[in-house]
Amino acid sequence: MDLKGCIFDLDGVIVDTAKYHFLAWKRLADEMGFDFTEHDNEALKGVSRMASLEILLHVGGVKKAEDEKIELATIKNNWYVEYISHMTPEEILPGSLELLRSLRSEGILTAIGSASRNAGMILDGIKLRDMFDAIVDGNKIHTAKPDPEVFLKGAEEMRLAPENCIVFEDARAGIEAAIAAGMRCVGIGKPDTLARASIVVPDLRQITIQQLRNL
Ligand code: G6P
Ligand code: MG
């Protein structure tokens, strides 16, 4: 392919924030009096904040009114923001920085395509904002993954056509969003859950630019 841009999901690709999301959701479940396990947390990866709350309430068999749901999501987010406010560049996942540097040195543009409304704060904490030509996060989009909006907007902000872009994703909803956007997709994680990706690798250390161009 004629590779001109790479769009990276943030949570689970550049940094492991799932552990902080888990701590905050678990704390909320504890307060409501039910158990929430790391296994349950898997279903929340790549899923928007309110959709995550719905899954959590379903796990606990709890029903809440709309206004209470907004309140609960706000409480969880306040805890989550407190956790991520301590993040440092040491939390950048292995291979990310090296790949971003080599892409940019070849003139390939880079973007963030994340569902998170906290993406800006995380990028500042890990000091990686300067490595991206465009940052599209949950504050800029209306429809969550698997809708392609976040990646189409990323391509648009880089002024590139979707077919010249590759997406890096760790969540199934994100892979579906990339396919719907007409983009090739590198799955980060296990092949069984990410089967629809163009290729699947355990982390960004395994990727070469030549491999990407061959997709
Ligand atoms: C990412 C994470 C999800 C999270 C979502 C919204 O997609 O993988 O677990 O729910 O972002 O994040 P936010 O920071 O806006 O609550
Ligand atoms: Mg992710």
Side-chain angles (χ1 to χ4, degrees):
M1 70 174 287
D2 184 10
L3 178 61
K4 294 183 177 164
C6 287
I7 309 180
F8 293 84
D9 172 48
L10 179 63
D11 298 288
V13 172
I14 305 281
V15 279
D16 175 22
T17 42
K19 59 184 181 219
Y20 301 122
H21 280 296
F22 174 62
L23 283 177
W25 285 125
K26 186 171 171 40
R27 194 165 159 185
L28 196 65
D30 284 348
E31 291 221 340
M32 287 190 281
F34 64 87
D35 200 26
F36 186 72
T37 65
E38 274 194 74
H39 176 76
D40 297 326
N41 193 56
E42 282 301 304
L44 273 47
K45 288 187 179 171
V47 175
S48 74
R49 193 181 305 168
M50 290 313 286
S52 298
L53 177 67
E54 295 290 351
I55 296 171
L56 183 100
L57 294 175
H58 182 78
V59 167
V62 174
K63 287 212 171 3
K64 294 282 178 191
E66 278 315 304
D67 54 338
E68 285 178 288
K69 286 182 191 170
I70 292 169
E71 215 172 290
L72 289 169
T74 306
I75 293 171
K76 179 268 172 180
N77 190 58
N78 289 342
W79 288 331
Y80 176 69
V81 165
E82 160 60 19
Y83 298 143
I84 61 171
S85 68
H86 304 290
M87 287 182 82
T88 67
E90 276 165 32
E91 289 186 66
I92 297 172
L93 287 173
S96 312
L97 202 54
E98 294 76 5
L99 179 61
L100 286 165
R101 281 194 185 125
S102 61
L103 289 168
R104 294 174 68 83
S105 74
E106 298 240 354
I108 297 165
L109 301 182
T110 53
I112 285 288
S114 167
S116 173
R117 290 174 183 265
N118 297 302
M121 183 179 178
I122 295 168
L123 288 171
D124 287 338
I126 61 173
K127 305 214 183 318
L128 217 59
R129 207 182 259 272
D130 292 351
M131 295 299 275
F132 298 99
D133 300 286
I135 295 170
V136 181
D137 65 12
N139 301 299
K140 283 193 184 173
I141 55 163
H142 302 100
T143 324
K145 300 168 188 176
D147 189 278
E149 184 186 7
V150 64
F151 296 137
L152 290 174
K153 192 150 180 41
E156 188 189 307
E157 287 202 8
M158 294 189 288
R159 296 175 193 273
L160 297 176
E163 63 263 31
N164 298 122
C165 298
I166 290 181
V167 166
F168 294 77
E169 255 294 346
D170 71 313
R172 198 178 294 177
I175 307 274
E176 294 303 325
I179 294 169
M183 298 176 190
R184 289 172 180 81
C185 185
V186 177
I188 311 293
K190 298 200 180 84
D192 49 340
T193 41
L194 306 174
R196 301 243 298 147
S198 315
I199 44 165
V200 180
V201 290
D203 60 58
L204 292 177
R205 281 178 296 195
Q206 335 289 322
I207 295 284
T208 64
I209 296 184
Q210 195 47 53
Q211 219 178 346
L212 296 175
R213 289 202 167 109
N214 289 343
L215 287 182

